[in-house]
Amino acid sequence: QVQLVESGGGMVQPGGSLRLSCVVSGVTFSRVAMNWYRPASGKERELVAVITSAGDTTNYADSVKGRFTISRDNAKNTVYLQMNSLKSEDTAVYYCKAVSPLFSAWGQGTQVTVSS
C-alpha cells in the first residue's frame, strides 16, 4: 500500500520561508514522479511543482516560480518543497502526489498559513 506523509507546514509571516517534506512508502520511490498541489479558485487543486523520478527535471506554476524549489532525496524516499518569500496568497493546504504509469496516490496534506 502506497502511503505519503507530509510535514513541515505551519504559520509564517509574509516574506518568510518554510520547507515541506513528503515521505513516501510502499513503492519504489525512484520510479515515481512527485508533485505538489494546493487548492485554487476555480480548480479542485493547482499543480504547484513537479519533479521527475530521477530529479533531473522540475517545473513550477507561474505563481511560485523563483520562490519555490522542489527537490528529492531518493535515498530517503522524500520529496521537499522549499518555499521562500512567502505571500498571504500562498496560504493553503499543500498536498504531495506520487505519479507513475500504473498508479497515483495522495498525501493527507499539510497546512501553510502566511499571515502577519
Side-chain angles (χ1 to χ4, degrees):
Q1 181 179 356
V2 181
Q3 288 190 318
L4 291 80
V5 179
E6 298 103 330
S7 62
M11 180 175 288
V12 65
Q13 292 185 341
S17 298
L18 283 174
R19 188 177 81 156
L20 307 183
S21 300
C22 173
V23 179
V24 182
S25 60
V27 68
T28 303
F29 182 67
S30 60
R31 295 182 181 177
V32 298
M34 294 298 302
N35 301 343
W36 285 98
Y37 283 81
R38 66 186 182 189
S41 58
K43 306 177 186 178
E44 183 176 346
R45 287 175 183 172
E46 172 190 30
L47 179 59
V48 174
V50 179
I51 188 165
T52 54
S53 57
D56 53 351
T57 302
T58 59
N59 203 2
Y60 300 90
D62 288 342
S63 57
V64 307
K65 276 182 184 175
R67 301 189 298 122
F68 290 12
T69 303
I70 188 171
S71 63
R72 64 190 294 155
D73 185 338
N74 284 354
K76 296 182 178 180
N77 285 10
T78 303
V79 63
Y80 304 97
L81 186 67
Q82 177 67 45
M83 305 186 296
N84 298 329
S85 303
L86 283 161
K87 306 175 181 180
S88 58
E89 52 263 43
D90 295 319
T91 295
V93 177
Y94 285 73
Y95 299 88
C96 63
K97 180 181 181 182
V99 180
S100 83
L102 299 177
F103 77 95
S104 64
W106 292 91
Q108 84 288 349
T110 185
Q111 176 70 47
V112 171
T113 302
V114 185
S115 175
S116 56

